[in-house]
Amino acid sequence: MHYVGVLALDGVVPFELGIPARIFGAARDSAGDRLYSVTTCSVDGGPVRTEADYLLTPAHDASLLATVDTVVIPPSHALGPVREEGRLPGPLREALATVRPGTRMVAICTGAYVLAAAGLLDGRPATTHWREADRLRRMFTTARIDPDVLFVDDGDILTSAGVAAGIDLCVHIVRRDHGSDVANEVARSCVVPPWRDGGQAQYIRRPVPDPVATGTAPTQAWVMERLAEPVTLADMAAHANVSVRTFTRRFRDEVGTSPGQWLVRRRVDLARHLLETTDWPVDVVAGRSGFGTGVSLRRHLHAALGVTPQAYRRTFRPLQR
């Protein structure tokens, strides 16, 4: 059993506060037993004001944080000195000081301010809601803030963009902990996508593009049926019947990432699935997922996940048996 503690701060946003319990609570093993225990606390154990028109009273105080394996900090609209001055109030600082070394720290949306003010994002990649990204970057200059992604997994520190990106991050954590089959079942149970393409760039308001400049979805679907083939950017542009330059611009506007980055991500996803669900040699998995050689697969998988194909299979394959 993996124990998750959710820290509700004053001004907490109820939707994001409920994400960990909903997503992790849906994760079950093959026998139907829960894989996570999720418990909520406030700093002093008392009621907290929400961003809505009601109070919440968690059953625990922040002493809970010393007992869990993962701490989740949802966003708050009343962070006060954390957001305005970059410092933690004394009680919050003392609460976070009780977290055991090695505990996984997760922030949803503006919860990233809390991690940053605690010094946990120094020199680390992270994200937050795109509206807050510039402010967070200016206030905490050593943090490497990426406003374009839905979430960042930096091992023991994970951060997400706002609202539904918290769902994306929690589903990703389930996938990281227990593999794609469990994560996909969680997504199915919660009626959410197991993976969303692109990043925050697709949600940032921009001028409405010309109607003729939209519609790369058919080409994306075409590519998904040919991941094992040597599909090039020129092939994608030809399928969309536009120039490479035009296709690249349209694709980035719609998806929030480049066609090449999107293609690598889809191939990594397929390779992970094959490593989890087959006993095929790494070279075969590489060929079936479009990487061609085991060397190429190792390089891309390590860049995406920080592990080798063999290590990934050792971690996740036994859980599928």
Side-chain angles (χ1 to χ4, degrees), residues 67-104:
T67 69
V68 298
D69 306 302
T70 294
V71 172
V72 181
I73 303 177
S76 164
H77 286 186
L79 288 173
V82 179
R83 182 177 180 273
E84 301 302 324
E85 304 170 28
R87 66 174 180 85
L88 298 174
L92 177 55
R93 182 177 63 252
E94 293 168 6
L96 293 177
T98 67
V99 175
R100 294 173 299 172
T103 299
R104 182 164 58 191

PDB file of all heavy atoms in Angstrom, residues 67-104:
ATOM      1  N   THR A  67       4.235  10.618   7.819  1.00  0.00           N
ATOM      2  CA  THR A  67       3.928   9.186   7.772  1.00  0.00           C
ATOM      3  C   THR A  67       3.645   8.677   6.365  1.00  0.00           C
ATOM      4  O   THR A  67       3.446   7.481   6.190  1.00  0.00           O
ATOM      5  CB  THR A  67       2.697   8.882   8.653  1.00  0.00           C
ATOM      6  OG1 THR A  67       1.519   9.451   8.053  1.00  0.00           O
ATOM      7  CG2 THR A  67       2.881   9.448  10.047  1.00  0.00           C
ATOM      8  N   VAL A  68       3.616   9.576   5.357  1.00  0.00           N
ATOM      9  CA  VAL A  68       3.170   9.165   4.028  1.00  0.00           C
ATOM     10  C   VAL A  68       4.346   9.020   3.068  1.00  0.00           C
ATOM     11  O   VAL A  68       5.461   9.468   3.338  1.00  0.00           O
ATOM     12  CB  VAL A  68       2.139  10.169   3.460  1.00  0.00           C
ATOM     13  CG1 VAL A  68       0.905  10.214   4.339  1.00  0.00           C
ATOM     14  CG2 VAL A  68       2.757  11.561   3.310  1.00  0.00           C
ATOM     15  N   ASP A  69       4.061   8.371   1.927  1.00  0.00           N
ATOM     16  CA  ASP A  69       5.077   8.162   0.893  1.00  0.00           C
ATOM     17  C   ASP A  69       5.062   9.258  -0.163  1.00  0.00           C
ATOM     18  O   ASP A  69       6.072   9.508  -0.816  1.00  0.00           O
ATOM     19  CB  ASP A  69       4.830   6.812   0.212  1.00  0.00           C
ATOM     20  CG  ASP A  69       4.758   5.669   1.213  1.00  0.00           C
ATOM     21  OD1 ASP A  69       5.740   5.485   1.955  1.00  0.00           O
ATOM     22  OD2 ASP A  69       3.714   4.991   1.275  1.00  0.00           O
ATOM     23  N   THR A  70       3.896   9.876  -0.342  1.00  0.00           N
ATOM     24  CA  THR A  70       3.744  10.957  -1.315  1.00  0.00           C
ATOM     25  C   THR A  70       2.932  12.076  -0.676  1.00  0.00           C
ATOM     26  O   THR A  70       1.911  11.808  -0.037  1.00  0.00           O
ATOM     27  CB  THR A  70       3.017  10.469  -2.592  1.00  0.00           C
ATOM     28  OG1 THR A  70       3.834   9.519  -3.270  1.00  0.00           O
ATOM     29  CG2 THR A  70       2.716  11.627  -3.544  1.00  0.00           C
ATOM     30  N   VAL A  71       3.402  13.317  -0.838  1.00  0.00           N
ATOM     31  CA  VAL A  71       2.664  14.493  -0.385  1.00  0.00           C
ATOM     32  C   VAL A  71       2.166  15.246  -1.607  1.00  0.00           C
ATOM     33  O   VAL A  71       2.934  15.516  -2.532  1.00  0.00           O
ATOM     34  CB  VAL A  71       3.544  15.428   0.466  1.00  0.00           C
ATOM     35  CG1 VAL A  71       2.815  16.741   0.762  1.00  0.00           C
ATOM     36  CG2 VAL A  71       3.951  14.739   1.767  1.00  0.00           C
ATOM     37  N   VAL A  72       0.869  15.563  -1.630  1.00  0.00           N
ATOM     38  CA  VAL A  72       0.276  16.336  -2.725  1.00  0.00           C
ATOM     39  C   VAL A  72      -0.194  17.678  -2.179  1.00  0.00           C
ATOM     40  O   VAL A  72      -0.896  17.724  -1.162  1.00  0.00           O
ATOM     41  CB  VAL A  72      -0.915  15.595  -3.371  1.00  0.00           C
ATOM     42  CG1 VAL A  72      -1.482  16.424  -4.528  1.00  0.00           C
ATOM     43  CG2 VAL A  72      -0.488  14.218  -3.870  1.00  0.00           C
ATOM     44  N   ILE A  73       0.187  18.751  -2.871  1.00  0.00           N
ATOM     45  CA  ILE A  73      -0.238  20.092  -2.473  1.00  0.00           C
ATOM     46  C   ILE A  73      -1.104  20.668  -3.594  1.00  0.00           C
ATOM     47  O   ILE A  73      -0.592  21.065  -4.641  1.00  0.00           O
ATOM     48  CB  ILE A  73       0.967  21.003  -2.201  1.00  0.00           C
ATOM     49  CG1 ILE A  73       1.867  20.374  -1.127  1.00  0.00           C
ATOM     50  CG2 ILE A  73       0.492  22.394  -1.756  1.00  0.00           C
ATOM     51  CD1 ILE A  73       3.118  21.152  -0.849  1.00  0.00           C
ATOM     52  N   PRO A  74      -2.421  20.705  -3.399  1.00  0.00           N
ATOM     53  CA  PRO A  74      -3.310  21.295  -4.403  1.00  0.00           C
ATOM     54  C   PRO A  74      -3.181  22.817  -4.395  1.00  0.00           C
ATOM     55  O   PRO A  74      -2.619  23.407  -3.462  1.00  0.00           O
ATOM     56  CB  PRO A  74      -4.704  20.857  -3.939  1.00  0.00           C
ATOM     57  CG  PRO A  74      -4.481  19.808  -2.896  1.00  0.00           C
ATOM     58  CD  PRO A  74      -3.161  20.119  -2.287  1.00  0.00           C
ATOM     59  N   PRO A  75      -3.746  23.486  -5.399  1.00  0.00           N
ATOM     60  CA  PRO A  75      -3.642  24.941  -5.467  1.00  0.00           C
ATOM     61  C   PRO A  75      -4.520  25.637  -4.449  1.00  0.00           C
ATOM     62  O   PRO A  75      -5.517  25.101  -3.974  1.00  0.00           O
ATOM     63  CB  PRO A  75      -4.111  25.256  -6.887  1.00  0.00           C
ATOM     64  CG  PRO A  75      -5.038  24.139  -7.219  1.00  0.00           C
ATOM     65  CD  PRO A  75      -4.447  22.925  -6.559  1.00  0.00           C
ATOM     66  N   SER A  76      -4.128  26.863  -4.137  1.00  0.00           N
ATOM     67  CA  SER A  76      -4.905  27.723  -3.256  1.00  0.00           C
ATOM     68  C   SER A  76      -4.964  29.111  -3.866  1.00  0.00           C
ATOM     69  O   SER A  76      -4.013  29.558  -4.520  1.00  0.00           O
ATOM     70  CB  SER A  76      -4.260  27.792  -1.867  1.00  0.00           C
ATOM     71  OG  SER A  76      -4.776  28.889  -1.126  1.00  0.00           O
ATOM     72  N   HIS A  77      -6.081  29.806  -3.664  1.00  0.00           N
ATOM     73  CA  HIS A  77      -6.219  31.190  -4.100  1.00  0.00           C
ATOM     74  C   HIS A  77      -5.935  32.160  -2.970  1.00  0.00           C
ATOM     75  O   HIS A  77      -6.234  33.351  -3.070  1.00  0.00           O
ATOM     76  CB  HIS A  77      -7.625  31.431  -4.660  1.00  0.00           C
ATOM     77  CG  HIS A  77      -7.822  30.824  -6.012  1.00  0.00           C
ATOM     78  ND1 HIS A  77      -8.970  31.013  -6.759  1.00  0.00           N
ATOM     79  CD2 HIS A  77      -7.017  30.028  -6.764  1.00  0.00           C
ATOM     80  CE1 HIS A  77      -8.858  30.368  -7.902  1.00  0.00           C
ATOM     81  NE2 HIS A  77      -7.693  29.756  -7.921  1.00  0.00           N
ATOM     82  N   ALA A  78      -5.340  31.649  -1.876  1.00  0.00           N
ATOM     83  CA  ALA A  78      -5.035  32.514  -0.730  1.00  0.00           C
ATOM     84  C   ALA A  78      -3.659  32.165  -0.175  1.00  0.00           C
ATOM     85  O   ALA A  78      -3.493  31.978   1.033  1.00  0.00           O
ATOM     86  CB  ALA A  78      -6.111  32.368   0.350  1.00  0.00           C
ATOM     87  N   LEU A  79      -2.669  32.093  -1.047  1.00  0.00           N
ATOM     88  CA  LEU A  79      -1.334  31.699  -0.616  1.00  0.00           C
ATOM     89  C   LEU A  79      -0.595  32.806   0.131  1.00  0.00           C
ATOM     90  O   LEU A  79       0.406  32.546   0.802  1.00  0.00           O
ATOM     91  CB  LEU A  79      -0.507  31.249  -1.825  1.00  0.00           C
ATOM     92  CG  LEU A  79      -0.898  29.895  -2.419  1.00  0.00           C
ATOM     93  CD1 LEU A  79      -0.125  29.633  -3.695  1.00  0.00           C
ATOM     94  CD2 LEU A  79      -0.664  28.773  -1.420  1.00  0.00           C
ATOM     95  N   GLY A  80      -1.076  34.031   0.013  1.00  0.00           N
ATOM     96  CA  GLY A  80      -0.501  35.125   0.783  1.00  0.00           C
ATOM     97  C   GLY A  80       0.988  35.286   0.583  1.00  0.00           C
ATOM     98  O   GLY A  80       1.460  35.449  -0.543  1.00  0.00           O
ATOM     99  N   PRO A  81       1.784  35.229   1.684  1.00  0.00           N
ATOM    100  CA  PRO A  81       3.224  35.467   1.562  1.00  0.00           C
ATOM    101  C   PRO A  81       3.947  34.445   0.696  1.00  0.00           C
ATOM    102  O   PRO A  81       5.028  34.732   0.182  1.00  0.00           O
ATOM    103  CB  PRO A  81       3.715  35.399   3.015  1.00  0.00           C
ATOM    104  CG  PRO A  81       2.673  34.613   3.738  1.00  0.00           C
ATOM    105  CD  PRO A  81       1.375  34.970   3.074  1.00  0.00           C
ATOM    106  N   VAL A  82       3.366  33.272   0.529  1.00  0.00           N
ATOM    107  CA  VAL A  82       4.005  32.272  -0.327  1.00  0.00           C
ATOM    108  C   VAL A  82       4.081  32.790  -1.755  1.00  0.00           C
ATOM    109  O   VAL A  82       5.135  32.740  -2.407  1.00  0.00           O
ATOM    110  CB  VAL A  82       3.241  30.938  -0.270  1.00  0.00           C
ATOM    111  CG1 VAL A  82       3.902  29.912  -1.185  1.00  0.00           C
ATOM    112  CG2 VAL A  82       3.173  30.408   1.154  1.00  0.00           C
ATOM    113  N   ARG A  83       2.975  33.310  -2.256  1.00  0.00           N
ATOM    114  CA  ARG A  83       2.937  33.816  -3.628  1.00  0.00           C
ATOM    115  C   ARG A  83       3.427  35.252  -3.731  1.00  0.00           C
ATOM    116  O   ARG A  83       4.047  35.632  -4.724  1.00  0.00           O
ATOM    117  CB  ARG A  83       1.503  33.735  -4.174  1.00  0.00           C
ATOM    118  CG  ARG A  83       1.362  34.194  -5.626  1.00  0.00           C
ATOM    119  CD  ARG A  83      -0.076  34.019  -6.101  1.00  0.00           C
ATOM    120  NE  ARG A  83      -0.232  34.450  -7.488  1.00  0.00           N
ATOM    121  CZ  ARG A  83      -0.488  35.706  -7.852  1.00  0.00           C
ATOM    122  NH1 ARG A  83      -0.603  36.658  -6.908  1.00  0.00           N
ATOM    123  NH2 ARG A  83      -0.623  36.027  -9.119  1.00  0.00           N
ATOM    124  N   GLU A  84       3.173  36.058  -2.713  1.00  0.00           N
ATOM    125  CA  GLU A  84       3.511  37.472  -2.795  1.00  0.00           C
ATOM    126  C   GLU A  84       4.972  37.751  -2.453  1.00  0.00           C
ATOM    127  O   GLU A  84       5.586  38.655  -3.019  1.00  0.00           O
ATOM    128  CB  GLU A  84       2.607  38.276  -1.840  1.00  0.00           C
ATOM    129  CG  GLU A  84       1.120  38.146  -2.132  1.00  0.00           C
ATOM    130  CD  GLU A  84       0.750  38.569  -3.536  1.00  0.00           C
ATOM    131  OE1 GLU A  84       1.369  39.529  -4.038  1.00  0.00           O
ATOM    132  OE2 GLU A  84      -0.159  37.949  -4.126  1.00  0.00           O
ATOM    133  N   GLU A  85       5.524  36.981  -1.518  1.00  0.00           N
ATOM    134  CA  GLU A  85       6.883  37.261  -1.047  1.00  0.00           C
ATOM    135  C   GLU A  85       7.837  36.087  -1.228  1.00  0.00           C
ATOM    136  O   GLU A  85       9.039  36.219  -0.969  1.00  0.00           O
ATOM    137  CB  GLU A  85       6.836  37.644   0.434  1.00  0.00           C
ATOM    138  CG  GLU A  85       5.917  38.825   0.738  1.00  0.00           C
ATOM    139  CD  GLU A  85       5.716  39.003   2.232  1.00  0.00           C
ATOM    140  OE1 GLU A  85       6.630  38.619   3.006  1.00  0.00           O
ATOM    141  OE2 GLU A  85       4.642  39.500   2.629  1.00  0.00           O
ATOM    142  N   GLY A  86       7.318  34.946  -1.630  1.00  0.00           N
ATOM    143  CA  GLY A  86       8.190  33.787  -1.819  1.00  0.00           C
ATOM    144  C   GLY A  86       8.666  33.168  -0.521  1.00  0.00           C
ATOM    145  O   GLY A  86       9.725  32.530  -0.477  1.00  0.00           O
ATOM    146  N   ARG A  87       7.899  33.301   0.551  1.00  0.00           N
ATOM    147  CA  ARG A  87       8.311  32.712   1.827  1.00  0.00           C
ATOM    148  C   ARG A  87       7.165  31.925   2.439  1.00  0.00           C
ATOM    149  O   ARG A  87       5.985  32.216   2.213  1.00  0.00           O
ATOM    150  CB  ARG A  87       8.767  33.799   2.796  1.00  0.00           C
ATOM    151  CG  ARG A  87       7.666  34.743   3.242  1.00  0.00           C
ATOM    152  CD  ARG A  87       8.156  35.715   4.309  1.00  0.00           C
ATOM    153  NE  ARG A  87       7.077  36.622   4.720  1.00  0.00           N
ATOM    154  CZ  ARG A  87       6.174  36.330   5.646  1.00  0.00           C
ATOM    155  NH1 ARG A  87       6.219  35.155   6.267  1.00  0.00           N
ATOM    156  NH2 ARG A  87       5.224  37.205   5.963  1.00  0.00           N
ATOM    157  N   LEU A  88       7.523  30.929   3.224  1.00  0.00           N
ATOM    158  CA  LEU A  88       6.535  30.089   3.895  1.00  0.00           C
ATOM    159  C   LEU A  88       6.207  30.659   5.261  1.00  0.00           C
ATOM    160  O   LEU A  88       7.117  30.980   6.036  1.00  0.00           O
ATOM    161  CB  LEU A  88       7.068  28.666   4.071  1.00  0.00           C
ATOM    162  CG  LEU A  88       7.395  27.867   2.814  1.00  0.00           C
ATOM    163  CD1 LEU A  88       8.034  26.546   3.212  1.00  0.00           C
ATOM    164  CD2 LEU A  88       6.157  27.636   1.972  1.00  0.00           C
ATOM    165  N   PRO A  89       4.930  30.805   5.613  1.00  0.00           N
ATOM    166  CA  PRO A  89       4.578  31.147   6.997  1.00  0.00           C
ATOM    167  C   PRO A  89       5.124  30.083   7.948  1.00  0.00           C
ATOM    168  O   PRO A  89       5.271  28.909   7.566  1.00  0.00           O
ATOM    169  CB  PRO A  89       3.048  31.154   6.979  1.00  0.00           C
ATOM    170  CG  PRO A  89       2.667  31.304   5.543  1.00  0.00           C
ATOM    171  CD  PRO A  89       3.751  30.637   4.754  1.00  0.00           C
ATOM    172  N   GLY A  90       5.394  30.475   9.169  1.00  0.00           N
ATOM    173  CA  GLY A  90       6.005  29.563  10.127  1.00  0.00           C
ATOM    174  C   GLY A  90       5.320  28.213  10.257  1.00  0.00           C
ATOM    175  O   GLY A  90       5.982  27.166  10.149  1.00  0.00           O
ATOM    176  N   PRO A  91       4.003  28.165  10.490  1.00  0.00           N
ATOM    177  CA  PRO A  91       3.342  26.858  10.651  1.00  0.00           C
ATOM    178  C   PRO A  91       3.466  25.967   9.416  1.00  0.00           C
ATOM    179  O   PRO A  91       3.652  24.745   9.539  1.00  0.00           O
ATOM    180  CB  PRO A  91       1.885  27.249  10.919  1.00  0.00           C
ATOM    181  CG  PRO A  91       1.967  28.610  11.520  1.00  0.00           C
ATOM    182  CD  PRO A  91       3.090  29.287  10.798  1.00  0.00           C
ATOM    183  N   LEU A  92       3.381  26.552   8.221  1.00  0.00           N
ATOM    184  CA  LEU A  92       3.516  25.751   7.004  1.00  0.00           C
ATOM    185  C   LEU A  92       4.954  25.268   6.850  1.00  0.00           C
ATOM    186  O   LEU A  92       5.197  24.116   6.472  1.00  0.00           O
ATOM    187  CB  LEU A  92       3.089  26.571   5.781  1.00  0.00           C
ATOM    188  CG  LEU A  92       3.240  25.890   4.417  1.00  0.00           C
ATOM    189  CD1 LEU A  92       2.506  24.556   4.378  1.00  0.00           C
ATOM    190  CD2 LEU A  92       2.732  26.816   3.309  1.00  0.00           C
ATOM    191  N   ARG A  93       5.913  26.137   7.155  1.00  0.00           N
ATOM    192  CA  ARG A  93       7.318  25.725   7.080  1.00  0.00           C
ATOM    193  C   ARG A  93       7.596  24.575   8.035  1.00  0.00           C
ATOM    194  O   ARG A  93       8.276  23.596   7.683  1.00  0.00           O
ATOM    195  CB  ARG A  93       8.219  26.918   7.405  1.00  0.00           C
ATOM    196  CG  ARG A  93       9.716  26.598   7.294  1.00  0.00           C
ATOM    197  CD  ARG A  93      10.584  27.812   7.556  1.00  0.00           C
ATOM    198  NE  ARG A  93      10.418  28.310   8.929  1.00  0.00           N
ATOM    199  CZ  ARG A  93       9.783  29.421   9.241  1.00  0.00           C
ATOM    200  NH1 ARG A  93       9.240  30.174   8.286  1.00  0.00           N
ATOM    201  NH2 ARG A  93       9.669  29.815  10.514  1.00  0.00           N
ATOM    202  N   GLU A  94       7.061  24.669   9.239  1.00  0.00           N
ATOM    203  CA  GLU A  94       7.264  23.599  10.216  1.00  0.00           C
ATOM    204  C   GLU A  94       6.592  22.308   9.782  1.00  0.00           C
ATOM    205  O   GLU A  94       7.131  21.211   9.988  1.00  0.00           O
ATOM    206  CB  GLU A  94       6.724  24.045  11.573  1.00  0.00           C
ATOM    207  CG  GLU A  94       7.507  25.198  12.192  1.00  0.00           C
ATOM    208  CD  GLU A  94       6.801  25.815  13.383  1.00  0.00           C
ATOM    209  OE1 GLU A  94       5.745  25.252  13.790  1.00  0.00           O
ATOM    210  OE2 GLU A  94       7.271  26.842  13.894  1.00  0.00           O
ATOM    211  N   ALA A  95       5.424  22.426   9.148  1.00  0.00           N
ATOM    212  CA  ALA A  95       4.719  21.233   8.678  1.00  0.00           C
ATOM    213  C   ALA A  95       5.527  20.519   7.601  1.00  0.00           C
ATOM    214  O   ALA A  95       5.692  19.289   7.636  1.00  0.00           O
ATOM    215  CB  ALA A  95       3.342  21.613   8.144  1.00  0.00           C
ATOM    216  N   LEU A  96       6.064  21.277   6.647  1.00  0.00           N
ATOM    217  CA  LEU A  96       6.832  20.664   5.564  1.00  0.00           C
ATOM    218  C   LEU A  96       8.158  20.115   6.067  1.00  0.00           C
ATOM    219  O   LEU A  96       8.700  19.165   5.482  1.00  0.00           O
ATOM    220  CB  LEU A  96       7.062  21.679   4.454  1.00  0.00           C
ATOM    221  CG  LEU A  96       5.800  22.130   3.695  1.00  0.00           C
ATOM    222  CD1 LEU A  96       6.145  23.194   2.668  1.00  0.00           C
ATOM    223  CD2 LEU A  96       5.117  20.937   3.018  1.00  0.00           C
ATOM    224  N   ALA A  97       8.673  20.675   7.127  1.00  0.00           N
ATOM    225  CA  ALA A  97       9.938  20.185   7.681  1.00  0.00           C
ATOM    226  C   ALA A  97       9.804  18.782   8.253  1.00  0.00           C
ATOM    227  O   ALA A  97      10.809  18.085   8.434  1.00  0.00           O
ATOM    228  CB  ALA A  97      10.446  21.137   8.754  1.00  0.00           C
ATOM    229  N   THR A  98       8.576  18.335   8.516  1.00  0.00           N
ATOM    230  CA  THR A  98       8.377  16.991   9.066  1.00  0.00           C
ATOM    231  C   THR A  98       8.358  15.914   7.987  1.00  0.00           C
ATOM    232  O   THR A  98       8.382  14.720   8.315  1.00  0.00           O
ATOM    233  CB  THR A  98       7.056  16.917   9.859  1.00  0.00           C
ATOM    234  OG1 THR A  98       5.943  17.057   8.960  1.00  0.00           O
ATOM    235  CG2 THR A  98       6.993  18.008  10.918  1.00  0.00           C
ATOM    236  N   VAL A  99       8.301  16.327   6.726  1.00  0.00           N
ATOM    237  CA  VAL A  99       8.260  15.353   5.636  1.00  0.00           C
ATOM    238  C   VAL A  99       9.577  14.576   5.607  1.00  0.00           C
ATOM    239  O   VAL A  99      10.665  15.153   5.649  1.00  0.00           O
ATOM    240  CB  VAL A  99       8.032  16.054   4.287  1.00  0.00           C
ATOM    241  CG1 VAL A  99       8.112  15.051   3.134  1.00  0.00           C
ATOM    242  CG2 VAL A  99       6.674  16.766   4.292  1.00  0.00           C
ATOM    243  N   ARG A 100       9.488  13.275   5.539  1.00  0.00           N
ATOM    244  CA  ARG A 100      10.684  12.438   5.573  1.00  0.00           C
ATOM    245  C   ARG A 100      11.499  12.578   4.294  1.00  0.00           C
ATOM    246  O   ARG A 100      10.927  12.730   3.203  1.00  0.00           O
ATOM    247  CB  ARG A 100      10.290  10.974   5.732  1.00  0.00           C
ATOM    248  CG  ARG A 100       9.624  10.631   7.061  1.00  0.00           C
ATOM    249  CD  ARG A 100       9.132   9.204   7.049  1.00  0.00           C
ATOM    250  NE  ARG A 100       8.134   8.975   6.001  1.00  0.00           N
ATOM    251  CZ  ARG A 100       7.649   7.788   5.679  1.00  0.00           C
ATOM    252  NH1 ARG A 100       8.093   6.697   6.295  1.00  0.00           N
ATOM    253  NH2 ARG A 100       6.729   7.667   4.732  1.00  0.00           N
ATOM    254  N   PRO A 101      12.830  12.523   4.363  1.00  0.00           N
ATOM    255  CA  PRO A 101      13.663  12.524   3.149  1.00  0.00           C
ATOM    256  C   PRO A 101      13.249  11.378   2.224  1.00  0.00           C
ATOM    257  O   PRO A 101      12.972  10.267   2.689  1.00  0.00           O
ATOM    258  CB  PRO A 101      15.080  12.315   3.694  1.00  0.00           C
ATOM    259  CG  PRO A 101      15.023  12.815   5.101  1.00  0.00           C
ATOM    260  CD  PRO A 101      13.641  12.479   5.596  1.00  0.00           C
ATOM    261  N   GLY A 102      13.204  11.665   0.942  1.00  0.00           N
ATOM    262  CA  GLY A 102      12.820  10.646  -0.031  1.00  0.00           C
ATOM    263  C   GLY A 102      11.340  10.596  -0.325  1.00  0.00           C
ATOM    264  O   GLY A 102      10.911   9.864  -1.229  1.00  0.00           O
ATOM    265  N   THR A 103      10.540  11.354   0.437  1.00  0.00           N
ATOM    266  CA  THR A 103       9.101  11.398   0.164  1.00  0.00           C
ATOM    267  C   THR A 103       8.862  12.090  -1.172  1.00  0.00           C
ATOM    268  O   THR A 103       9.467  13.116  -1.473  1.00  0.00           O
ATOM    269  CB  THR A 103       8.365  12.164   1.277  1.00  0.00           C
ATOM    270  OG1 THR A 103       8.574  11.487   2.517  1.00  0.00           O
ATOM    271  CG2 THR A 103       6.872  12.250   0.993  1.00  0.00           C
ATOM    272  N   ARG A 104       7.984  11.537  -1.977  1.00  0.00           N
ATOM    273  CA  ARG A 104       7.661  12.150  -3.273  1.00  0.00           C
ATOM    274  C   ARG A 104       6.775  13.372  -3.035  1.00  0.00           C
ATOM    275  O   ARG A 104       5.763  13.291  -2.346  1.00  0.00           O
ATOM    276  CB  ARG A 104       6.950  11.127  -4.163  1.00  0.00           C
ATOM    277  CG  ARG A 104       6.608  11.640  -5.544  1.00  0.00           C
ATOM    278  CD  ARG A 104       6.280  10.482  -6.480  1.00  0.00           C
ATOM    279  NE  ARG A 104       5.178   9.659  -6.002  1.00  0.00           N
ATOM    280  CZ  ARG A 104       4.839   8.481  -6.524  1.00  0.00           C
ATOM    281  NH1 ARG A 104       5.531   7.985  -7.535  1.00  0.00           N
ATOM    282  NH2 ARG A 104       3.813   7.795  -6.048  1.00  0.00           N
TER     283      ARG A 104
END
